[in-house]
Amino acid sequence: MSAAVPARPRVDAFFTVAEARSDRWRTLVHVVNAWQASAVEHLPERETDKEAVTSCLSDLRPWEDFFAYPGGVLLQKVDDRIASGDAMGTARLIHQISAAISSRSYRENVGDWEKGDDSPIVVAEVVNGLGQEGAAHKPYCEILFVTPGGPAARAQSAQELRKLRRPLDQFVYEPVMVGNFEDAVLGTILNGSVQAVVIYDSIPFASVHNSPVLREVLTNHLGPAAIKKGTQDYGISLAQALKLLRPELDIYLLSDRQVEKTAGDPEAKCIRRVFYQVEEALEIHLSILDGVLDRYSTPYFDNLQKYAQRPVGTFHALPVARGKSIFKSNWIRDMGAFYGINLFLAESSATTGGLDSLLEPTGNIKVAQDKAARAFGADHVFFVTNGTSTSNKMVEQALLKPGDIVLVDRNCHKSHHYGAVLTGALPLYVEAFPLTQYSMYGAVPLRSIKKGLFDLKKAGKLDRARMLVLTNCTFDGHIYNVERVMQECLAIKPDLIFLWDEAWFGFARFSPFYRRRTAMGAAAILEKKFKDPEFRAAYQAQAAAYGSDLDPSDESLLNMALLPDPDKVRLRVYQTNSTHKSMSALRQGSMVLVKDVDYKTVEEQFHEAVFTHASTSPNLQIIASLDIARRQMELEGYELVNRAIQLALDIRREVNSHPLISKYFRVLGADGMIPAEFRQSGFVDYLTPGNDWAKSARALREDEFALDVTRLTLVCGSAGVDGTAFKNMLAADYDIQLNKTSRNSVLLQTNINNTRSDVANLIKVLADISRDIEDRLARGGESDRQAFAARVKNLMENVPDLPNFSYFHSSFRETPSSITSEGDMRRAFFCAYRAQDCEHLKLASPEIDKRLKEGPELVSANFVIPYPPGFPIMVPGQVITSDTIDFMRKLDVKEIHGYDASLGLKLLKTSTLDNM
Ligand SMILES: Cc1ncc(COP(=O)(O)O)c(C=O)c1O
C-alpha cells in the first residue's frame, strides 16, 4: 500500500510534532503572501505563485486530518478561494488560521472557527461550547473518534456530537474523526490535545497516509498484539496500543457485538467503558466529560480553595493565616501586596475542616496521592514537602537497617550518602564511567553492578545486599536501561530492592520515548514479562545451560543478558522525583513512588520513616501544587514534554550548525556523552543525518545508556571561558540562568516552561558572545590569539583525572581482606564528632606526600564535595590516595563542601583508628 502513495508527504516526523505544524502554516503564509503580491501587481508569475500555494497546502494537508482546527469546512473555504483566484481572500484566511494555530487561540475563541468571510460560517454548536466574551473559561480538548465510514458520514457524526453539548458541560471538546487503526495511532501521537479516544469495533487496519516509520513502530514497539492483521476486531488491540503511547488517555469502545463479553475480557482492562454501538450517544458524551473531569479534579487544591473562602477564625500558631497581621501592618503591607490575599487565606495549621494531614492522610490528600499513583504508574505515592533530599532518606530509612549492604553510585546525590549514615547500611560504591574531558561522570555500567553482586555472592554476603540506588537520569542526562538493569540484577539477587532517584526525570513518564526508561515504566514492562510463557521458556533454557544458581566466578555471565527466575523474583521498585524540578510544583515539592510486591511487609516502617522526616508543619501550598502538577501532566504533560524535547533539539541544531556560534560553542550529542560501547544499536545522535524516530526508539529500547536530549551540555571551554565564569556571565550580563557547570561546560535544560522565544534569546546571546570573541581576537593581534588558544587548551586538555573511590579504612570494614569494599560509613562519620579524635593537614603540606608514601594512611573524617563536579571525592572513613590529592590540588573551584582551606583536610587521627 505504501508503494502506491509515495508522493504523499510523510506524517511521521514525530519529534517535531507541534512546532513543525506551526512552521508548515507559516511557510504557507509566506507562499500566499508572494501570490497576493504578484496578483495585486498583475505580474506574470502570479499563476506559478498560485500553484505554489496549492502545492504547499497539499503538503500540509495530510497532517490536518488529525486536528479539529481548522477542520474540513475552513480548509474547503481555502480551496474555494484559491480556485476562484481570490489571492487576497486566500491570504487573509491563511493568515488567520496560521495565527490561531500558533497562538492556540482557537481553543478559546469562537471567532477563529468562523474566520475569513463576510458571511461567517455559523458553527452554532461550537459557539454553544467555546468561550465567548464574559463566559467562564471552559477548558478545550479534542476527542479522537475511530470510526468506519466515509468522510461524509464522519462529518455527519461530528455534527451530531456537537449537538450534545450543554451549557452545563465543564469542558468543551471537538471531535477528530479518523477511520482506521493506523490513523488512530497517528492521531494519538500527533495531536496532544486529544484527551480520549472512542473506538468503534470493526475498523479497518491500514492508513492511506505515508508513514513508514509508523509501520516500524507498530511492528516493533507496540507489540505484536497490536497488529492482529487478518482479524476483524482491532478495537482492543488498538486500545492497548494507544495506552502504551499515552496511558493517561481514556479509551471507550463501541461494539455492535457481544459487548458484555468484551467488557469482561481481561484484555480490555485498559478500556474505561464499553458501549453498545447503536445506543447511548449522550452517555458517551457524558462519559467523555466525566473521564476528563476525573483527571482535572484536584481534591486537595479544590478543597484548599474552598477552605480559603470560609470566614475562619484562627486561634492557632500561624499568624500569617488570613493575613490580618500583614494587610493591617504599618511595615509589612508590601508582603501582602506582593503575594496577594489568597496565599494567606489558604494558609492553615489545621488538618481538619477538609484539609487532611500529610503525615497520616485519610481524606483528600490520600485521594490526591492515589490519583498521582495512577498518573505515574505506581501502586502508592507519597507527597513530600521537603524535596527529594528528604524523599531519598525516607525510602532508605524505611528499607535499610544497620549492616545491610546498599550498592550505590558514588556519584549520586549527597542525600544517599547521608542515607547510609542515617541507616547504618554499608555502602558498596559502584563507579560510573568517567567523562574526564568534561570533568564529569556518566552512569554506572551494568557490568560493574553485576560484578559487585557476584563478588558479594563469592564473599557469602549476597543475602545482605538489600538495595541498589542509581540516579536516572544523571545530572548530565545519562539515562539507564532501567528494565535491563533490574532484570539482570534480579537474576543474581531475586529480591533486590531498587531505588531510582529520578529527581530530574519525573516528567519522563509523559513521553512515550522515555517512559520505558523510567522506574515505573520499566517495572510495568517487567511485571508483564515475568508472566509471559516465552520469557519463562527463555529462563528455563538459561537455567539448563548455566544452572539456576548462577556461578559467580563464571566471567561469561558478566557479558550476557541474564534472566531471573520468574517464580522467585520479587519486583520491588521505588522512585523519588523532584516534582518541582520538572513539573509545576512549588520548590521542594517531591514524590515517592512505590511499586513493590512486598510493600505490605514494610508499610509500617515506611510510615515510621515519613514520621521521622516529614515536618509536622508541612506547607499546604506545596501539597496543593503537587496535586496540580499531577493534573497538568495527566492532561497536557504529553504535549508539554514533547515541546521541551523539541526545543532542546532546536538548541542543539542551531548551536552546532551556526557558522559563528559553532566556532566557539558546541552542545554534546549522545556520541559525545556516551562512549560507543554503551550505544549497542549503533545510534550516534538524535540529530545525525538519516536518524529518525524509529532509530531513536530502537536506541532507547536497546542501548545501555541513552541521553536525555533536554539536558544540554554546552561546551564553553572552547570559547576560552570556564563553566563557572560562563554561568556568571550569562546571569549577570544577559539575565539567563542555567543549571550546573563543569570545568569547561555548562548544563542547560529545557523544560515544560520553555518557549521558542527563550530559545531564540539564547541563540542570540551565544551569537553576540561569539561575535564579541571574534572581534576581540581580530583586534588583539597575534599575542591575544595565542593567549586565547592557550586558555582554550588549558581548559579543554589540561583536565584532572577523576579519582575513583579508593577503599574504606580497615577499621570500618568487617573483614578487611574481603573482595568487596563496603564499609561502615556511619561509624566513621560519628568518629569525627570528638575534636580530639581528628586532625587537619593543609593540602599543600609535605606531610601529606610523606604519609602517602610511608603511611600511616590518611583517613577522611568527613564528606568532601567540590562544586563542580558535585560528587564526594572523600567520604568518612575513606583512605585518601594520591589520585584524590592530585585532583584536589588541581581543582580550581571555590566551593568545596566539607573542606576549609585555612585548616586543611580533616582526618581521623591514627591513634583514634588504632583504638577502635
Ligand atoms: C540526583 C538528585 N537527587 C536528589 C536531589 C535532591 O532533590 P531536592 O533538591 O528536591 O531536594 C538532587 C538535587 O539536585 C539531585 O540532583
Side-chain angles (χ1 to χ4, degrees):
M1 181 220 50
S2 51
V5 285
R8 288 178 72 96
R10 285 177 53 170
V11 291
D12 53 10
F14 299 138
F15 260 140
T16 54
V17 179
E19 306 305 332
R21 184 174 181 227
S22 303
D23 286 345
R24 280 190 296 275
W25 276 93
R26 271 190 292 269
T27 306
L28 182 59
V29 164
H30 290 300
V31 177
V32 81
N33 282 349
W35 179 34
Q36 187 183 3
S38 57
V40 169
E41 302 279 328
H42 293 286
L43 299 177
E45 59 266 33
R46 60 185 189 279
E47 272 312 306
T48 356
D49 287 344
K50 180 178 159 191
E51 277 161 28
V53 173
T54 312
S55 144
C56 192
L57 188 63
S58 63
D59 272 357
L60 66 72
R61 200 63 178 256
W63 299 80
E64 296 306 321
D65 287 353
F66 303 104
F67 299 90
Y69 183 84
V73 180
L74 276 179
L75 284 171
Q76 184 59 49
K77 189 163 280 281
V78 176
D79 286 344
D80 293 347
R81 288 190 184 180
I82 296 172
S84 69
D86 176 4
M88 259 169 51
T90 311
R92 198 168 59 238
L93 190 50
I94 286 175
H95 277 235
Q96 288 162 341
I97 294 173
S98 170
I101 288 174
S102 297
S103 65
R104 297 162 190 222
S105 56
Y106 64 89
R107 295 180 180 193
E108 331 226 342
N109 213 342
V110 176
D112 288 337
W113 297 81
E114 306 171 331
K115 288 276 192 251
D117 208 322
D118 306 328
S119 55
I121 313 157
V122 181
V123 191
E125 300 79 5
V126 176
V127 175
N128 188 16
L130 283 174
Q132 296 163 80
E133 199 94 349
H137 170 66
K138 272 190 191 186
Y140 166 91
C141 62
E142 296 180 7
I143 307 295
L144 191 66
F145 286 81
V146 193
T147 154
R154 282 192 226 134
Q156 174 67 28
S157 310
Q159 261 331 66
E160 295 299 323
L161 281 160
R162 291 189 191 104
K163 284 186 192 150
L164 296 170
R165 287 179 185 161
R166 305 155 318 146
L168 275 179
D169 293 346
Q170 223 177 319
F171 314 102
V172 59
Y173 67 83
E174 265 293 305
V176 176
M177 299 286 185
V178 294
N180 55 63
F181 186 114
E182 288 188 337
D183 281 352
V185 174
L186 281 170
T188 306
I189 294 172
L190 296 173
N191 186 341
S193 306
V194 165
Q195 293 297 352
V197 185
V198 181
I199 303 168
Y200 288 68
D201 228 351
S202 51
I203 41 157
F205 185 83
S207 164
V208 294
H209 288 103
N210 179 16
S211 50
V213 172
L214 172 71
R215 301 256 136 76
E216 134 109 64
V217 170
L218 287 179
T219 318
N220 292 324
H221 302 263
L222 298 181
I227 331 167
K228 287 187 202 143
K229 282 194 179 170
T231 75
Q232 280 308 295
D233 298 328
Y234 295 122
I236 293 180
S237 306
L238 177 58
Q240 290 170 337
L242 300 186
K243 276 282 185 188
L244 281 178
L245 289 165
R246 293 179 58 186
E248 68 279 8
L249 295 184
D250 296 322
I251 314 261
Y252 302 94
L253 184 70
L254 270 71
S255 176
D256 57 5
R257 272 167 262 186
Q258 290 185 306
V259 281
E260 305 78 8
K261 269 218 165 50
T262 310
D265 184 345
E267 294 283 309
K269 208 172 78 186
C270 59
I271 295 170
R272 191 177 163 95
R273 248 188 101 169
V274 179
F275 291 97
Y276 188 55
Q277 194 164 315
V278 290
E279 48 190 36
E280 325 258 31
L282 183 62
E283 278 298 294
I284 295 166
H285 172 74
L286 294 176
S287 300
I288 289 170
L289 296 179
D290 189 52
V292 177
L293 179 63
D294 191 15
R295 278 172 279 158
Y296 185 82
S297 88
T298 32
Y300 187 76
F301 175 55
D302 298 348
N303 229 50
L304 190 62
Q305 290 185 86
K306 279 189 209 133
Y307 171 86
Q309 303 314 317
R310 283 169 36 203
V312 181
T314 62
F315 291 95
H316 57 49
L318 187 66
V320 296
R322 319 307 294 178
K324 292 177 217 166
S325 65
I326 292 156
F327 288 96
K328 292 186 180 154
S329 162
N330 201 24
W331 296 103
I332 63 165
R333 220 174 289 175
D334 55 339
M335 181 190 186
F338 184 70
Y339 287 109
I341 182 72
N342 282 342
L343 177 67
F344 303 99
L345 293 179
E347 276 295 340
S348 175
S349 71
T351 53
T352 51
L355 289 180
D356 207 0
S357 156
L358 184 65
L359 286 150
E360 199 111 65
T362 51
N364 48 48
I365 294 185
K366 183 171 182 326
V367 184
Q369 290 184 158
D370 289 346
K371 282 183 176 243
R374 173 188 70 196
F376 287 91
D379 294 338
H380 309 277
V381 163
F382 291 87
F383 287 174
V384 179
T385 59
N386 7 12
T388 298
S389 305
T390 297
S391 301
N392 287 337
K393 283 178 279 195
M394 277 181 185
V395 176
E396 279 152 10
Q397 179 183 318
L399 303 172
L400 295 170
K401 64 179 187 324
D404 282 346
I405 294 173
V406 52
L407 291 95
V408 53
D409 175 6
R410 190 190 38 136
N411 185 33
C412 67
H413 186 255
K414 65 185 168 67
S415 49
H416 301 291
H417 303 281
Y418 285 108
V421 170
L422 176 81
T423 60
L426 314 182
L428 174 65
Y429 285 120
V430 280
E431 293 286 352
F433 68 82
L435 280 167
T436 310
Q437 197 194 345
Y438 304 108
S439 292
M440 64 174 82
Y441 276 103
V444 185
L446 179 53
R447 199 174 198 282
S448 311
I449 301 169
K450 284 163 70 179
K451 177 155 182 352
L453 287 169
F454 277 135
D455 283 350
L456 285 168
K457 190 167 184 182
K458 278 187 213 160
K461 296 188 231 174
L462 190 59
D463 58 325
R464 287 169 58 191
R466 180 130 168 108
M467 184 190 267
L468 172 66
V469 178
L470 293 172
T471 312
N472 186 53
C473 65
T474 65
F475 217 134
D476 301 291
H478 298 94
I479 317 175
Y480 283 86
N481 191 329
V482 181
E483 172 193 348
R484 179 91 185 265
V485 170
M486 294 203 285
Q487 174 175 306
E488 294 215 38
C489 289
L490 289 171
I492 305 171
K493 177 82 169 47
D495 60 352
L496 190 69
I497 303 175
F498 300 90
L499 169 54
W500 294 97
D501 179 341
E502 296 188 348
W504 301 101
F505 210 43
F507 73 95
R509 167 89 192 156
F510 300 91
S511 160
F513 300 106
Y514 289 160
R515 187 176 308 114
R516 64 175 310 126
R517 284 193 177 235
T518 63
M520 293 303 129
I525 294 172
L526 286 177
E527 197 175 37
K528 207 161 156 216
K529 204 167 174 179
F530 294 155
K531 290 183 193 144
D532 185 343
E534 266 183 44
F535 179 84
R536 178 174 293 274
Y539 164 73
Q540 280 160 353
Q542 175 193 283
Y546 295 89
S548 55
D549 187 19
L550 295 172
D551 174 2
S553 49
D554 182 350
E555 289 272 316
S556 68
L557 298 181
L558 292 176
N559 303 322
M560 58 182 264
L562 302 177
L563 308 175
D565 181 344
D567 290 330
K568 289 213 178 110
V569 84
R570 310 297 302 164
L571 194 57
R572 313 192 62 182
V573 187
Y574 290 76
Q575 184 254 33
T576 52
N577 78 79
S578 296
T579 320
H580 69 96
K581 288 195 205 299
S582 71
M583 294 166 262
S584 296
L586 294 177
R587 201 78 176 139
Q588 296 194 12
S590 168
M591 293 188 198
V592 175
L593 313 187
V594 181
K595 193 164 175 67
D596 175 357
V597 285
D598 293 326
Y599 177 67
K600 277 276 162 234
T601 64
V602 293
E603 191 171 4
E604 233 177 279
Q605 290 148 233
F606 219 92
H607 287 290
E608 204 70 58
V610 171
F611 293 150
T612 308
H613 294 278
S615 165
T616 38
S617 312
N619 184 308
L620 308 194
Q621 317 320 320
I622 298 178
I623 304 172
S625 74
L626 287 167
D627 199 12
I628 295 165
R630 187 276 309 153
R631 177 211 286 179
Q632 178 175 43
M633 295 314 278
E634 272 197 313
L635 289 164
E636 55 184 357
Y638 173 78
E639 204 171 15
L640 294 174
V641 172
N642 257 348
R643 192 179 65 193
I645 292 176
Q646 173 60 39
L647 293 179
L649 290 170
D650 288 348
I651 296 175
R652 286 169 180 276
R653 194 180 39 249
E654 286 308 312
V655 169
N656 292 352
S657 65
H658 191 285
L660 183 58
I661 299 176
S662 63
K663 275 173 86 172
Y664 301 103
F665 297 96
R666 184 163 42 99
V667 181
L668 296 180
D671 49 338
M673 295 292 288
I674 301 169
E677 63 188 288
F678 301 122
R679 289 180 276 113
Q680 290 87 342
S681 71
F683 180 73
V684 179
D685 185 45
Y686 300 94
L687 293 176
T688 305
N691 187 50
D692 63 27
W693 198 74
K695 291 190 182 113
S696 301
R698 181 172 162 221
L700 282 164
R701 202 172 61 243
E702 293 176 9
D703 290 354
E704 177 153 4
F705 299 118
L707 178 68
D708 173 5
V709 283
T710 69
R711 306 188 71 77
L712 304 110
T713 296
L714 178 75
V715 177
C716 57
S718 37
V721 209
D722 69 73
T724 311
F726 189 60
K727 176 178 171 169
N728 294 342
M729 181 192 342
L730 287 184
D733 300 344
Y734 299 99
D735 276 333
I736 290 181
Q737 296 180 359
L738 42 81
N739 215 302
K740 70 151 210 177
T741 62
S742 85
R743 178 178 170 78
N744 46 26
S745 70
V746 293
L747 182 74
L748 309 167
Q749 180 187 337
T750 57
N751 63 40
I752 60 168
N753 190 40
N754 286 113
T755 60
R756 292 180 96 176
S757 303
D758 296 338
V759 174
N761 187 32
L762 175 73
I763 298 300
K764 160 127 183 42
V765 165
L766 291 178
D768 288 350
I769 295 173
S770 306
R771 210 168 296 116
D772 204 40
I773 299 173
E774 193 91 336
D775 291 349
R776 265 190 290 125
L777 290 179
R779 277 197 312 271
E782 194 48 33
S783 66
D784 270 24
R785 279 193 287 278
Q786 278 178 11
F788 177 80
R791 217 165 41 245
V792 170
K793 189 168 161 45
N794 179 40
L795 286 168
M796 298 302 293
E797 291 174 25
N798 184 16
V799 280
D801 279 337
L802 295 170
N804 274 348
F805 177 74
S806 53
Y807 51 93
F808 284 107
H809 186 264
S810 55
S811 314
F812 305 110
R813 306 193 60 203
E814 285 170 8
T815 328
S817 59
S818 172
I819 51 166
T820 60
S821 65
E822 75 284 356
D824 187 351
M825 195 161 72
R826 179 167 70 168
R827 214 148 54 84
F829 180 87
F830 287 111
C831 262
Y833 267 36
R834 284 175 9 132
Q836 61 267 40
D837 290 334
C838 301
E839 60 181 336
H840 286 90
L841 275 183
K842 289 261 174 70
L843 192 57
S845 142
E847 174 70 10
I848 288 201
D849 300 281
K850 185 161 172 280
R851 281 185 58 178
L852 282 174
K853 269 206 197 93
E854 299 166 14
E857 286 174 320
L858 302 160
V859 179
S860 182
N862 59 352
F863 289 105
V864 176
I865 309 179
Y867 284 88
F871 65 90
I873 56 172
M874 296 172 205
V875 304
Q878 178 184 342
V879 172
I880 303 170
T881 53
S882 52
D883 296 356
T884 310
I885 295 295
D886 288 349
F887 184 77
M888 276 290 273
R889 284 177 176 164
K890 278 191 192 162
L891 211 60
D892 46 7
V893 299
K894 307 265 173 312
E895 196 181 333
I896 306 180
H897 295 183
Y899 171 70
D900 179 343
S902 65
L903 294 173
L905 296 174
K906 187 173 178 184
L907 305 171
L908 291 174
K909 278 187 183 162
T910 311
S911 55
T912 311
L913 297 166
D914 288 346
N915 291 332
M916 288 187 70

